[in-house]
Amino acid sequence: MLSVMSDKTFLALAAALGYSISTVLIKQYSLNFAYLPAVLLVAVLVGTIAAEVFLLRQVNLALAYVAIIATETVLVLCYSFAIGEGLTRQEMAGAVFVLVGIALVSF
């Protein structure tokens, strides 16, 4: 367990996945006010915060933020397309600019 908490890639992916799942749960909660998505949201955010805390002990904030945001952006865009909420050309161009900007900042 300790070796998993020291793997930077795993922790960054876990945090990004946690934030992405939180976005999905918020979307579900906005459509139907139910307790299950709210409880799951709190549980996922607690795990996400733990992963991010362990990650920030090993890398600087700027690097962690860029890695998490880039991964989360791609995951949320994939979910958006999966539920039929595609992007317009303008929104797609904006998403590409964000991803390119993240890539530029990270290298």
Side-chain angles (χ1 to χ4, degrees):
M1 179 71 173
L2 196 54
S3 66
V4 171
M5 291 305 166
S6 65
D7 185 13
K8 297 173 209 163
T9 304
F10 173 78
L11 292 171
L13 289 175
L17 185 62
Y19 286 125
S20 300
I21 292 171
S22 297
T23 301
V24 171
L25 290 170
I26 290 169
K27 177 70 174 172
Q28 292 303 315
Y29 188 70
S30 71
L31 298 174
N32 182 12
F33 295 109
Y35 289 112
L36 183 59
V39 170
L40 288 174
L41 176 63
V42 170
V44 168
L45 284 174
V46 167
T48 302
I49 290 168
E52 196 164 348
V53 166
F54 283 117
L55 178 64
L56 290 175
R57 289 181 177 177
Q58 300 173 37
V59 299
N60 66 25
L61 178 63
L63 179 63
Y65 184 73
V66 168
I68 291 170
I69 292 298
T71 307
E72 179 191 0
T73 301
V74 170
L75 291 172
V76 170
L77 284 173
C78 290
Y79 174 71
S80 176
F81 283 114
I83 64 170
E85 291 185 2
L87 300 175
T88 65
R89 287 185 181 153
Q90 183 178 7
E91 292 167 336
M92 185 66 78
V96 168
F97 281 129
V98 168
L99 292 174
V100 169
I102 290 171
L104 289 172
V105 169
S106 65
F107 294 109

